[in-house]
Amino acid sequence: MAALMLRWSCLGKRWVLACIDGGSRHGRGAAIGLTSRRKRGQSSVAQQPLIAVQKSRKGEHEWAAVVGLEIHAQISSNSKLFSGSQVHFAAPPNSLVSFFDASLPGTLPVLNRRCVEAAVMTGLALNCRINKKSLFDRKHYFYADLPAGYQITQQRLPIAVNGSLAYSVSVGKKPSQVSTRTVRIKQIQLEQDSGKSLHDEPRSQTLIDLNRAGVGLLEVVLEPDMSCGEEAASAVRELQLILQALGTSQANMAEGQLRVDANISVHHPGEPLGVRTEVKNLNSARFLAKAIDFEIKRQIHELENGRKILNETRSFDDKLGCTMPMRDKEGKQDYRFMPEPNLPPLLLYDTASLPPGADPQQVINIDWIRERLPELPGKTREKLIQQYGMLPEHSFTLLNEVGLLEFFQNVIKETRAEPKKVTSWVLNIFLGFLKQQNLAVNESPVTPSALAELLNLLDRKAISSSAARQVMDMKRGNPRAINKLIGLVRKATLSRADPTVIKEILERKLSS
Amino acid sequence: MSSLLSAPSALREDALRRLKREMWARAVKLGLRSWVGWRRGFTSKADPQRSGRVTAEVIEHLERLALVDFGSLEAVARLEKAIAFADRLRAVDTDGVEPMESVLEDRCLYLRSDNVVEGNCAEELLQNAHRVVEEYFVAPPGMCSPKWLNRLSLSELRI
């Protein structure tokens, strides 16, 4: 049975529980407890009889999963949270470390203004209440990459609380079938990052690089309002876009600027919540949904076989596609929280409470920051829909692909073609082309001006749409397409142009 | 409480002696029954079964968390006395009084501008390290799990 479970997860099936709609989670007393997405392709249909058989053997209870997230985003700043050493991704080991970061005796923390502003901006963008007074605490634990033996965080009174994040999930096979969900934000707090440890197994040692130690982090705690991997992944993606739009974090998961820990439990609807496990350090958007779904399945499987879920920490092995226990917790971790004795409370002001004659460098005005918040992704999408009449799902695609929105806007600027045409070309043909060639938008051989020109020709009916598509083909280096285009141009010039000249001009244009 | 433990032992013994004298005087005055009642009230917030004793479990837990060594029964006894001494604070009525979290609560938290002014001193930092490999600090293996604390004694920790 274990092998069967493993195979399901490794095949990457989306056995998403109760993700379809709030309603369908409870209503169906069907034999199949796992409400799988029937529309997701052939193989899922083939698998169904197996699940049905299993379910009727074990009982016909439905399961609901509960997923909460703790997201750590590295603040985009020049220097660290409490010291003046640089924040930079790749640098020689221990070269970006100050005496405070190395926790040498006699050093004290000095708070970075930019990090506070970043936290306030993020709190405002996520509809949080900004606490005008917040406190710093020490969280104690021993680990080789934590030189002080404690991390300065904000446990008792964080800088922002009670917000919300809206995201959308697809609820059917058609791209237009999307539903907006909201997840509550419990709190946002400022905390220090730890250093990096590299395990050198053969020589039985651990190498420590403190370049990352002390970098400012925003911890965003999402309440357990999500119920599957896809919802969690969508919420994280939306948070990424918001952070990037604000400029508070580059939120690049590959570079470790955004790290997600998930708290997962399962229970029968109507009954109390089950024991939860924590899946730590999900550092890739791709594996986030996969890991969460696997853990949900694993827990259901354990419970249905009469076993209990241990309140433990697990990590995701992406090669095997499963979660493994990380370290056995001998009882709950006791962090011995205490107030940070070296830092007074952090006080923020608004226009009404701003002390007169205060040094502007030493006070932070929440209203001032609110007025200068950049446009958030939700607003950008709204504007696209209104301005260009595009469908909601198109606006999502435009924002989801890095650089695509800018590309689109540049094409719009330079072309006379209708916005709907531009949208269709950019999202279908251009994006499809990029995906096929496995290129990012900024690596595209086709510039916005080139595409704009092509669309102008199309608009003027100087070339047919099939000819335009062939130009794109050509960019793929398809020689046949080039010859075809030469033929078309000849036809257009009523066979008066010299084919070799045409070829030269085309090649010049295509290579530009 | 750590400051209490680090206070000069003479002062501590003095205070404890005074406290003991006071306790007995009151007990004699109030009589045996009220003494029992008072004592129960005294330890009401602590575990009544422990009645002032710190269990071996808690000692082990503290040793793991704080990397201290309660090597002898005497040390444990001293800890219990220190806890009892500090418990006298509960006699003070603090209803409706905001706790003071920091003596700095009236000070201004200085905000530093986001400029790079430190770093680039790897050599200096590494010169204090016992072992170094190519500009990395070296830690013994398994330092990354609490389990090692159970295996190593304090002397072995001097790496």
Side-chain angles (χ1 to χ4, degrees):
Chain A
M1 203 166 307
L4 188 64
M5 288 299 288
L6 197 63
R7 201 179 55 187
W8 286 349
S9 62
C10 288
L11 283 170
K13 284 303 156 296
R14 299 288 213 89
W15 296 115
V16 175
L17 300 151
C19 233
I20 301 177
D21 241 348
S24 60
R25 191 185 303 177
H26 303 280
R28 314 257 181 82
I32 300 169
L34 277 171
T35 37
S36 58
R37 296 256 206 88
R38 291 197 183 92
K39 299 195 179 154
R40 288 258 153 169
Q42 284 290 320
S43 35
S44 56
V45 175
Q47 293 277 9
Q48 278 207 325
L50 286 168
I51 313 168
V53 166
Q54 231 186 333
K55 277 287 134 262
S56 56
R57 239 189 278 148
K58 296 289 171 249
E60 312 201 344
H61 291 287
E62 269 194 28
W63 289 100
V66 166
V67 180
L69 297 177
E70 280 165 20
I71 302 169
H72 293 88
Q74 233 178 49
I75 300 176
S76 173
S77 61
N78 298 328
S79 56
K80 296 184 181 176
L81 183 59
F82 291 117
S83 67
S85 39
Q86 196 188 9
V87 175
H88 192 73
F89 181 53
N94 292 308
S95 60
L96 306 177
V97 185
S98 68
F99 290 175
F100 171 76
D101 303 328
S103 190
L104 296 187
T107 54
L108 293 171
V110 186
L111 184 56
N112 181 340
R113 190 197 159 85
R114 157 71 185 156
C115 294
V116 183
E117 289 172 347
V120 174
M121 280 171 77
T122 309
L124 291 171
L126 295 172
N127 309 305
C128 296
R129 182 184 80 224
I130 308 290
N131 283 330
K132 293 230 188 77
K133 173 172 151 177
S134 57
L135 306 167
F136 289 100
D137 303 302
R138 288 188 184 178
K139 178 177 175 181
H140 299 82
Y141 62 94
F142 287 109
Y143 208 84
D145 59 18
L146 196 67
Y150 61 85
Q151 176 196 36
I152 300 180
T153 175
Q154 291 187 301
Q155 190 247 2
R156 284 169 299 152
L157 201 52
I159 192 167
V161 290
N162 294 339
S164 65
L165 170 65
Y167 61 97
S168 71
V169 274
S170 54
V171 290
K173 196 179 180 192
K174 284 197 257 164
S176 58
Q177 293 171 305
V178 286
S179 156
T180 315
R181 306 270 159 91
T182 316
V183 56
R184 289 168 298 159
I185 296 191
K186 178 157 183 246
Q187 64 191 51
I188 299 178
Q189 62 200 47
L190 282 167
E191 57 180 37
Q192 287 176 305
D193 206 347
S194 64
K196 269 218 190 100
S197 43
L198 300 152
H199 301 283
D200 186 2
E201 302 292 345
R203 249 152 287 159
S204 258
Q205 59 193 12
T206 304
L207 304 178
I208 308 293
D209 174 14
L210 296 177
N211 282 346
R212 203 184 65 182
V215 172
L217 289 179
L218 282 176
E219 175 167 343
V220 182
V221 182
L222 301 183
E223 299 274 23
D225 294 342
M226 293 160 286
S227 57
C228 61
E230 189 183 353
E231 289 189 354
S234 303
V236 170
R237 181 76 191 112
E238 187 63 17
L239 181 65
Q240 242 183 339
L241 291 173
I242 292 175
L243 291 171
Q244 286 164 350
L246 290 172
T248 48
S249 171
Q250 286 164 329
N252 184 337
M253 284 185 96
E255 285 187 10
Q257 288 157 348
L258 191 75
R259 311 198 278 269
V260 181
D261 299 337
N263 293 309
I264 302 160
S265 74
V266 297
H267 68 293
H268 293 300
E271 288 181 17
L273 296 179
V275 176
R276 64 176 164 88
T277 60
E278 190 183 355
V279 183
K280 276 193 97 67
N281 284 329
L282 296 161
N283 299 340
S284 156
R286 249 175 71 210
F287 298 129
L288 177 63
K290 228 172 139 191
I292 292 175
D293 287 334
F294 176 87
E295 181 59 19
I296 292 171
K297 285 202 298 280
R298 184 194 74 90
Q299 287 196 10
I300 291 176
H301 184 247
E302 292 290 295
L303 289 172
E304 287 188 334
N305 283 311
R307 292 191 283 271
K308 290 218 189 315
I309 304 292
L310 296 167
N311 178 3
E312 59 181 353
T313 307
R314 301 175 76 88
S315 65
F316 183 64
D317 184 328
D318 46 303
K319 292 188 195 65
L320 294 174
C322 56
T323 60
M324 331 265 288
M326 225 170 100
R327 49 177 184 250
D328 45 0
K329 288 184 159 209
E330 308 119 18
K332 264 192 99 195
Q333 261 281 44
D334 183 349
Y335 292 116
R336 294 179 296 149
F337 284 100
M338 73 174 245
E340 168 56 59
N342 295 322
L343 292 170
L346 172 60
L347 298 173
L348 303 172
Y349 302 93
D350 50 26
T351 318
S353 63
L354 208 55
D359 178 3
Q361 188 41 33
Q362 286 304 313
V363 291
I364 291 187
N365 184 343
I366 301 171
D367 290 332
W368 193 90
I369 294 178
R370 187 185 283 119
E371 284 160 24
R372 283 156 187 77
L373 275 182
E375 186 177 271
L376 296 178
K379 192 84 206 256
T380 312
R381 281 186 213 117
E382 240 179 69
K383 281 166 83 170
L384 285 172
I385 296 172
Q386 276 175 4
Q387 219 174 342
Y388 304 119
M390 66 172 70
L391 297 169
E393 62 258 30
H394 294 161
S395 66
F396 272 97
T397 317
L398 264 183
L399 258 71
N400 260 345
E401 209 59 43
V402 179
L404 191 60
L405 179 62
E406 209 187 307
F407 189 92
F408 170 81
Q409 283 164 334
N410 287 334
V411 175
I412 288 266
K413 257 191 278 182
E414 295 186 36
T415 190
R416 260 192 324 236
E418 250 189 43
K420 290 213 168 149
K421 200 77 186 189
V422 182
T423 311
S424 163
W425 261 80
V426 169
L427 289 179
N428 298 326
I429 301 166
F430 175 67
L431 195 59
F433 161 71
L434 284 181
K435 292 289 175 207
Q436 222 200 38
Q437 308 281 59
N438 208 3
L439 293 168
V441 175
N442 59 6
E443 296 167 332
S444 161
V446 180
T447 63
S449 333
L451 189 57
E453 203 181 313
L454 188 64
L455 290 172
N456 278 342
L457 287 173
L458 197 57
D459 188 58
R460 262 206 330 256
K461 306 230 190 313
I463 52 174
S464 70
S465 92
S466 55
R469 275 169 211 260
Q470 281 170 0
V471 175
M472 294 301 292
D473 249 342
M474 232 147 310
K475 281 293 183 179
R476 266 169 249 181
N478 189 345
R480 256 169 166 209
I482 293 179
N483 291 330
K484 249 194 157 178
L485 193 60
I486 294 175
L488 284 170
V489 174
R490 268 200 89 195
K491 236 165 76 187
T493 56
L494 298 170
S495 303
R496 261 179 283 166
D498 179 355
T500 21
V501 175
I502 298 175
K503 190 162 188 226
E504 255 176 71
I505 298 175
L506 280 175
E507 283 184 336
R508 218 186 321 128
K509 283 235 153 199
L510 285 171
S511 61
S512 65
Chain B
M1 183 159 94
S2 58
S3 57
L4 175 68
L5 287 171
S6 61
S9 60
L11 251 157
R12 255 204 339 267
E13 302 298 0
D14 222 31
L16 281 171
R17 251 181 270 121
R18 255 186 288 125
L19 173 61
K20 269 199 202 145
R21 234 182 298 132
E22 255 184 76
M23 276 163 60
W24 281 112
R26 263 173 97 162
V28 166
K29 238 200 285 190
L30 297 171
L32 190 64
R33 205 173 49 178
S34 30
W35 179 82
V36 170
W38 172 80
R39 195 158 192 275
R40 222 179 271 137
F42 183 76
T43 55
S44 62
K45 291 217 179 110
D47 183 355
Q49 288 165 336
R50 278 201 280 132
S51 60
R53 289 248 160 286
V54 183
T55 61
E57 214 177 36
V58 173
I59 294 290
E60 260 176 54
H61 186 59
L62 284 175
E63 283 185 330
R64 261 202 310 270
L65 284 181
L67 283 189
V68 292
D69 184 15
F70 290 98
S72 59
L73 282 175
E74 193 187 59
V76 176
R78 218 176 313 150
L79 174 65
E80 288 173 351
K81 286 186 189 149
I83 295 173
F85 183 80
D87 258 341
R88 284 206 82 199
L89 284 173
R90 295 184 202 276
V92 180
D93 180 12
T94 55
D95 282 337
V97 180
E98 274 294 305
M100 174 200 259
E101 284 119 2
S102 160
V103 291
L104 302 170
E105 65 181 13
D106 289 329
R107 301 282 291 267
C108 227
L109 178 53
Y110 178 76
L111 294 171
R112 184 177 54 84
S113 2
D114 188 23
N115 299 318
V116 176
V117 294
E118 296 175 284
N120 273 314
C121 49
E123 223 183 279
E124 267 188 273
L125 291 172
L126 292 165
Q127 75 184 12
N128 277 342
H130 178 75
R131 275 182 65 207
V132 162
V133 165
E134 276 178 44
E135 302 201 310
Y136 287 94
F137 293 97
V138 179
M143 264 279 266
C144 301
S145 82
K147 262 188 152 163
W148 71 273
L149 291 164
N150 295 331
R151 284 187 267 122
L152 302 177
S153 70
L154 274 175
S155 56
E156 282 169 86
L157 287 175
R158 240 170 297 289
I159 25 154

